[in-house]
Amino acid sequence: MADYVVFIWDDEQAWERADPGIVEQTMAAHKEFITRHAAALRGGHRLHTSDVSTSIRHTVDGGVTVSDGAFSETKEVIGGYYLIEAADLDEALRIAADVPAPFGGVELRPVMPTS
Amino acid sequence: MDPVVAAAVADAHRTEWGRVLAAAARLTGDLDTAEECAQDAYADALASWSMYGVPDRPGAWLTTVARRRAMDIIRRRDTLRDKLPLIAGPDDVAGGPDTASEDEAFPDDRLRLIFICCHPTLAPDARVALTLRLLCGLTTGEVASAFLTSEPTMAARLTRAKKKIAATRIPYRVPGPGELGERLATVLDVVHLVFTTGHTAPDGQALQRRDLAERALDLARMLRLLLPDEPAVAGLLALILLTDARRHTRTDQAGRLLRLAEQDRARWDHGEISEGLALAREALRRRPYSRYPLMATIAATHATAPAPGAPDWAQILALYDELIAIWPSPIVALNRAIAIGEANGPTAGLAALDALATEPQLAGYHYLPAARAEYLRRLDRHDEARLAYDEALLLAGNNTEHRFLATRRAQLPYAT
């Protein structure tokens, strides 16, 4: 068994413009996802929008610079994540494909085991 | 070195490499170590066979040695408690038919191996590279030259792909019945790409890269052996055989490209043709048809043309209509446009080709202007044909094809 993180990337502006019905539907779809895959789920959260993000970069002189906003300037940002456990990539892919993401998609990444 | 032994080892390298490596991978759980075990087994074979003679079953001998080496490494690894990246083994995952033969010392795990190499989460060029490296035993340099990249680039691509296999735990197993069709399609596409790259090399002096075409034929035969009930596999093997059967007649003695109508059909490989025709028929027994059974049937229609270069174009067009319905790719659309021209006349063909002019995937593909040139010539629109040949000449990378197009262009009459 191995752990994977499913990052939910989506377009925040599409979320804002979305019909309240669709937002409600998506939330219901997440609840259904959580119930269906309860055995594999190890965690997960919806995040606040990236306008409250803070990015912290390390500088060459050993200090840090702190800036307002998401880490990279892309239309899609990470809006939430799930931590799942699966036997292998094929099983993880099947679970990740069930994550609702009407305004974007998801990215599946294996967790590096701590030794 | 004894030339008989050297030849036997080279032969076993070609026919058994994938099987030896696959058997070792089942034990080691990682591909890099499995490659080492396979390499060691072939090195041992050179020494041992020179002394004791070539064994009756070289593949079984090599597999046994590679597995023994793998066991040694595992024992050492256990004592060192190494944390090596592992591929998800067949024993800790559920499902999937077991392809190991009853002969446990000589299991055939090549299907598991090819399904790892062609996993849909790997980049398409990495799938091809891994398959040639791990199943066919090509060196990194050979894989690089097949795809016109440098050896360091190819080495990096292979390393990255193997890292992804280990880190994401791509399972070492044959997909279950529910997903086999979809996953098999990716495998077949890789084998087909290797074949087409060998059949008409995208670049260079020679028209064909026989080494690659033969590797593709080997892979298709292996899939047929291990998945005898899959029509898609029968279709791909049929397509390769029916196309490959013309390998000796595609150029004349001076190396000039010959069109189908000009080829000496007596010199086609009739053994491959009859085998291909039987497989194509078998591939059509189950509906709905997938891509390769339909393509094989098109190739079969060409191979059984009543007169040279005069196949049943109406039937070919009907087959392309079916093919494009399940596989709406621009390349299929281009071939279908050519079939329209042959079945319904050059004006219809030209109209169908012109409808594809803005297709981004065909921009830079020399067959589109070359086909336009051909129909413009038949319509006696020579100036436009010349321009179309010029465009095709700019885009054709293969020297044999380039020469063919230049000759066709030079044969056009000038207006008086």
Side-chain angles (χ1 to χ4, degrees):
Chain A
M1 299 299 279
D3 289 342
Y4 298 83
V5 175
V6 184
F7 296 104
I8 302 167
W9 287 86
D10 51 27
D11 180 345
E12 290 178 337
Q13 277 162 12
W15 262 114
E16 270 168 42
R17 286 193 305 265
D19 184 87
I22 293 186
V23 176
E24 222 166 276
Q25 246 176 42
T26 308
M27 289 306 139
H30 274 286
K31 281 208 180 98
E32 197 195 311
F33 169 83
I34 290 165
T35 317
R36 186 171 354 144
H37 294 290
L41 276 179
R42 295 293 171 269
H45 284 286
R46 181 184 182 186
L47 302 178
H48 277 290
T49 48
S50 66
D51 53 359
V52 300
S53 268
T54 304
S55 297
I56 300 150
R57 285 180 166 83
H58 292 264
T59 57
V60 277
D61 58 15
V64 290
T65 55
V66 173
S67 57
D68 177 43
F71 202 80
S72 55
E73 297 287 324
T74 50
K75 196 171 84 171
E76 277 96 6
V77 295
I78 295 175
Y81 72 93
Y82 287 109
L83 177 63
I84 61 170
E85 190 183 43
D88 56 47
L89 182 62
D90 284 348
E91 192 184 310
L93 279 172
R94 279 193 290 273
I95 297 168
D98 284 345
V99 173
F103 302 108
V106 305
E107 176 182 337
L108 182 64
R109 278 237 221 147
V111 171
M112 198 178 285
T114 41
S115 49
Chain B
M1 186 191 304
D2 185 344
V4 177
V5 170
V9 173
D11 188 53
H13 193 277
R14 186 187 151 152
T15 55
E16 307 285 354
W17 172 268
R19 191 161 173 178
V20 174
L21 191 154
R26 174 189 278 247
L27 295 175
T28 62
D30 80 299
L31 296 171
D32 282 329
T33 313
E35 273 188 279
E36 273 171 44
C37 295
Q39 262 151 14
D40 287 351
Y42 280 88
D44 280 6
L46 266 182
S48 171
W49 298 359
S50 300
M51 251 188 313
Y52 306 107
V54 178
D56 290 341
R57 295 164 72 207
W61 190 98
L62 287 158
T63 305
T64 308
V65 173
R67 282 167 63 90
R68 203 177 297 145
R69 186 62 39 93
M71 293 303 291
D72 289 346
I73 291 172
I74 291 164
R75 246 174 255 130
R76 214 170 345 134
R77 190 191 282 168
D78 282 348
T79 47
L80 292 173
R81 291 263 166 260
D82 268 354
K83 287 267 190 244
L84 284 182
L86 300 180
I87 51 177
D91 302 318
D92 57 341
V93 291
D98 199 315
T99 51
S101 65
E102 321 75 63
D103 187 353
E104 253 312 305
F106 191 31
D108 196 341
D109 279 337
R110 286 176 296 176
L111 262 190
R112 295 174 194 270
L113 188 58
I114 202 167
F115 275 108
I116 276 202
C117 293
C118 301
H119 200 271
T121 58
L122 298 170
D125 50 7
R127 293 175 209 161
V128 179
L130 281 172
T131 301
L132 288 173
R133 179 90 188 88
L134 299 181
L135 267 304
C136 303
L138 263 60
T139 64
T140 304
E142 287 168 332
V143 181
S145 86
F147 291 93
L148 310 165
T149 45
S150 70
E151 193 167 334
T153 305
M154 184 54 74
R157 188 181 296 169
L158 284 164
T159 304
R160 189 180 161 272
K162 281 191 273 191
K163 184 185 158 205
K164 182 164 187 185
I165 289 170
T168 64
R169 290 173 66 91
I170 293 180
Y172 195 47
R173 70 154 175 242
V174 176
E179 40 177 13
L180 184 67
E182 206 178 312
R183 293 283 310 279
L184 184 58
T186 350
V187 173
L188 298 181
D189 286 349
V190 165
V191 177
H192 185 239
L193 179 66
V194 173
F195 179 73
T196 52
T197 308
H199 185 68
T200 303
D203 275 281
Q205 283 294 332
L207 179 64
Q208 309 186 54
R209 293 276 319 258
R210 287 306 306 161
D211 50 342
L212 290 179
E214 282 166 16
R215 296 301 187 164
L217 185 55
D218 290 345
L219 287 168
R221 284 199 186 284
M222 175 198 91
L223 290 170
R224 168 75 181 161
L225 178 78
L226 299 173
L227 294 168
D229 299 323
E230 289 296 325
V233 173
L236 177 66
L237 179 55
L239 174 66
I240 291 179
L241 286 166
L242 291 167
T243 314
D244 193 57
R246 301 195 302 264
R247 65 191 173 281
H248 299 305
T249 60
R250 294 173 62 221
T251 47
D252 66 11
Q253 278 165 347
R256 278 188 293 263
L257 190 71
L258 295 175
R259 286 172 296 167
L260 263 181
E262 300 162 337
Q263 295 181 12
D264 177 4
R265 299 204 293 179
R267 289 178 55 232
W268 284 357
D269 184 331
H270 293 281
E272 287 196 348
I273 287 184
S274 53
E275 190 187 356
L277 290 176
L279 283 163
R281 273 193 297 276
E282 187 192 316
L284 288 186
R285 271 191 214 138
R286 216 185 306 157
R287 278 183 178 276
Y289 300 149
S290 58
R291 189 183 294 193
Y292 293 110
L294 284 170
M295 287 169 75
T297 311
I298 292 168
T301 313
H302 281 293
T304 53
D312 183 344
W313 281 107
Q315 184 186 326
I316 290 176
L317 179 54
L319 289 164
Y320 272 117
D321 286 343
E322 278 200 64
L323 185 60
I324 204 158
I326 58 160
W327 184 26
S329 99
I331 306 276
V332 175
L334 172 58
N335 283 302
R336 182 172 163 272
I338 293 168
I340 290 173
E342 298 301 327
N344 302 335
T347 309
L350 199 57
L353 288 170
D354 286 342
L356 300 171
T358 56
E359 185 55 65
Q361 255 187 281
L362 294 177
Y365 193 55
H366 65 282
Y367 290 117
L368 178 57
R372 282 194 73 242
E374 204 51 47
Y375 289 138
L376 287 165
R377 160 200 294 272
R378 291 192 209 172
L379 292 166
D380 291 325
R381 290 159 63 177
H382 299 132
D383 291 337
E384 291 165 83
R386 240 183 303 275
L387 284 173
Y389 279 124
D390 284 341
E391 193 187 334
L393 281 162
L394 272 175
L395 300 172
N398 182 287
N399 286 1
T400 307
E401 290 189 311
H402 200 272
R403 238 166 89 196
F404 170 80
L405 291 165
T407 310
R408 295 290 288 168
R409 185 191 184 281
Q411 287 164 348
L412 284 170
Y414 276 94
T416 44

